[in-house]
Amino acid sequence: EFLGRTDTQTKIRGYRIELGEIETTLQNHPAIANAVVIADQSRPGDPRLIAYLITRAEAISREDLNTHLLASLPHYMLPATYVFLDKLPLTAHGKVDRQALPSPDEQQRRSAPYEAPQTKVEREVAQAFGESLGIERVGRNDDFFELGGNSLLIARVGAILAGLYGVDLPLPLLFTQPTVEGVAGTIELFWKGGYQGLQDSRDPATMLSEIQLDPDIKPDGLPMADIMDPSGVFLTGATGYLGIFILEQILEQTSADVHCLVRASSPENAIDRLKRTAETFKVDWDEKFRTRVKPVVGDLSEPRFGLSEKAFTDLAGKIDSIYHNAALVNFVWPYSVLKGPNVYGTVEVLRLACTTKVKIVHFVSTIDVLVGSHMPRPFLEDPLPQLPPHVPFSYPQTKWISEKIVELAKERGVPTTIFRPSIMMGHTETGACHQTDYILVGLRGFLELGILPEYDEVLNCTTVDYASKTFVHITMQEKSIGEIFHLWNVDAIPTMATYDWVRSYGYEFEVVPFSEAVERARRVSPGHPIYPLLPVLFLYESGEAGLPMRWDDHLKLDPRLECAHTLSAQEGTDITAPDIDEKWMHDSLSFLIERGQLKPPSAIKLLAGSAEGQRR
């Protein structure tokens, strides 16, 4: 039976959600005449949001609806499924009869024509898709993500297929082609050649075809903008964790107006999104923000960000420098899903840099282009080789390709800088953390299991205020043009050194081997906070996440070599990396508890006591 909750509030994966707020936002879309949103509880432990829509004459896609919602709502308030109806069922009193709403029909979710699975493996993969998504009939050409798949559901499909075939593969590899036919083909290739056979099929040379920059993106004949004293700056990713602090530092260190690209339904909604991000991470939205932040409503993955040619050209005339920080960061989704915003978005940023006048592009990459491609240490601040030693998994693959595209632009005469940050966690004054960072998700989930895993790797993270201040400072130095900089802590510590600080905060736990921690995580229900991290844990188990950065190996090299350009740029300033110590950890934990993203020690103890009582 398919029944939704009739109250207006629900809780999904730890987030409290106001259903009426989603309905109102949907109804503000010009194509939507009416909307009803429910929390489907038909699968125990795995509630999901379903939106029932009455549309006007014009058609609207799932992607358009998600973009509209993300303009004013957080990601966890996106419906898993949209159902389009001719009319809503009503009670005798004229109110929506929520219990009479139909179960989502798979054909309403499908963009490709239905074609039946052809082989036994395809049929079983289709069944796994359907079981996870709550769809009765799935075709061989159906894309898992177009049908409503997300990081939680892809983990469930992976578990089903691992049980069926013993195919315990990293999900970005298993879902390289996220259709039924594509996943079945990967399984069959695994049967023929094993894991090594799959690895051998991933020729690094295939990445070369992705490194392309339109021939018309070039600075030839254009005047140079005032890149060292900009009056206008273009910033992407300002609604993210690092992005809001980059925005703060640009306002602090320059006098420029900052034009922020934001997915929104209007400039007012864009400003609201930026304000909410600032509030979330305790950034003071003061006079500088109110007068100098200029919203640009657009989408990174669209040509010209979805702007008209005139609007794009007008924007280009106002900009002297570009800070490209935005990316879709996901360690589970395949390259095909991440390519649009991460690779095409970089191309469109470079197009803006070569329109009207030549602008400098400051590109934010990631340490994972080195770790994920199995580059040997020390990690030097050098351009990437033509081909990686190992094809990185999906997210760092998009960043590798984007770096190479930025290099192409540099060769054509576009001034650039590239920054490779490592993990950023905490703020020296507020403790502000990115709540969905995989390390913190793991901490939250494992603590509820009463364990933390043995993990003999380097923790070279730094605080977000240090990273953003250093980043913007370097971009304002002329000698930085054309260089690459690493943003991480040269005074790294062993990851397990932080466990004593977690204990001194009041948490009780047992340290267990990593393999045992993963095995315990496998046994949790989908509603457990560790469940969404399972694909990342499998990624690390397989070695696909990259070569281990062992503490013993770290002690054999001079980490200052890995940040030589950054350290040189800091000379003569008061910018120094803060200590990663007990206070840093306690401030971070306090922030997470305050934001409701981590249970306090007392609640964890009650949880452990309840579990012990149930076992007895």
Side-chain angles (χ1 to χ4, degrees), residues 434-611:
H434 189 357
Q435 300 98 312
T436 57
D437 183 277
Y438 71 91
I439 287 181
L440 297 177
V441 173
L443 180 68
R444 178 167 65 241
F446 280 127
L447 284 176
E448 290 201 17
L449 290 174
I451 61 173
L452 286 180
E454 289 180 355
Y455 195 62
D456 182 32
E457 292 216 15
V458 172
L459 183 65
N460 61 0
C461 72
T462 189
T463 60
V464 71
D465 51 320
Y466 165 76
S468 56
K469 186 175 183 179
T470 301
F471 171 48
V472 175
H473 167 74
I474 291 173
T475 64
M476 300 309 298
Q477 299 183 44
E478 191 166 357
K479 66 179 182 180
S480 71
I481 298 174
E483 298 292 346
I484 297 171
F485 301 89
H486 290 171
L487 293 173
W488 60 72
N489 197 334
V490 295
D491 296 318
I493 60 173
T495 298
M496 290 176 61
T498 64
Y499 290 7
D500 287 341
W501 306 333
V502 177
R503 278 200 177 95
S504 65
Y505 195 84
Y507 289 103
E508 297 176 0
F509 54 88
E510 176 189 3
V511 178
V512 301
F514 187 84
S515 58
E516 181 181 336
V518 174
E519 187 55 38
R520 290 203 201 179
R522 287 178 190 269
R523 299 197 293 263
V524 304
S525 67
H528 194 281
I530 200 66
Y531 190 85
L533 195 68
L534 279 174
V536 178
L537 295 175
F538 299 158
L539 200 65
Y540 274 84
E541 251 195 337
S542 70
E544 191 67 20
L547 291 177
M549 294 175 63
R550 303 290 187 200
W551 178 248
D552 288 346
D553 296 334
H554 176 77
L555 294 175
K556 298 173 184 175
L557 57 85
D558 181 1
R560 297 179 66 84
L561 290 174
E562 299 184 315
C563 296
H565 294 172
T566 300
L567 295 173
S568 174
Q570 289 176 191
E571 289 178 358
T573 74
D574 62 352
I575 303 175
T576 56
D579 293 333
I580 301 302
D581 56 15
E582 185 177 48
K583 179 182 182 302
W584 160 80
M585 175 57 77
H586 286 190
D587 288 347
S588 299
L589 295 173
S590 294
F591 176 85
L592 293 170
I593 292 170
E594 176 189 326
R595 288 292 190 263
Q597 296 299 317
L598 178 67
K599 290 183 172 67
S602 57
I604 296 287
K605 289 176 184 176
L606 286 174
L607 198 66
S610 173

Side-chain angles (χ1 to χ4, degrees), residues 5-179:
R5 289 179 54 159
T6 57
D7 53 311
T8 60
Q9 273 197 351
T10 189
K11 201 167 188 179
I12 294 182
R13 292 192 287 281
Y15 295 106
R16 187 162 297 282
I17 293 170
E18 177 64 53
L19 300 177
E21 188 176 359
I22 306 173
E23 293 173 349
T24 300
T25 306
L26 284 168
Q27 289 165 357
N28 286 337
H29 192 288
I32 303 300
N34 204 349
V36 173
V37 179
I38 67 168
D40 170 28
Q41 303 283 353
S42 61
R43 291 183 289 188
D46 184 24
R48 56 179 180 154
L49 296 174
I50 298 177
Y52 292 86
L53 305 175
I54 307 296
T55 62
R56 305 187 195 280
E58 59 266 45
I60 184 168
S61 69
R62 173 190 176 86
E63 184 179 14
D64 289 338
L65 289 167
N66 284 346
T67 298
H68 172 72
L69 288 174
L70 285 171
S72 52
L73 299 176
H75 67 91
Y76 55 81
M77 293 180 75
L78 289 182
T81 302
Y82 295 98
V83 179
F84 298 93
L85 302 175
D86 294 328
K87 60 181 180 179
L88 294 170
L90 302 177
T91 66
H93 301 289
K95 296 183 178 181
V96 175
D97 187 351
R98 292 174 181 264
Q99 294 196 6
L101 289 166
S103 174
D105 178 79
E106 70 272 14
Q107 193 59 45
Q108 293 171 307
R109 311 184 197 192
R110 180 178 291 115
S111 61
Y114 177 79
E115 181 181 345
Q118 295 181 0
T119 67
K120 180 176 182 291
V121 179
E122 285 186 4
R123 286 191 290 273
E124 289 174 336
V125 170
Q127 185 176 347
F129 277 25
E131 183 178 328
S132 298
L133 295 163
I135 299 175
E136 291 184 7
R137 190 177 70 160
V138 177
R140 73 190 306 258
N141 298 317
D142 288 340
D143 185 296
F144 179 77
F145 297 98
E146 288 183 0
L147 292 177
N150 56 33
S151 298
L152 186 69
L153 295 176
I154 197 176
R156 178 170 296 176
V157 172
I160 293 171
L161 296 178
L164 277 174
Y165 304 118
V167 185
D168 204 0
L169 294 172
L171 293 180
L173 184 57
L174 183 60
F175 279 78
T176 299
Q177 298 294 329
T179 62

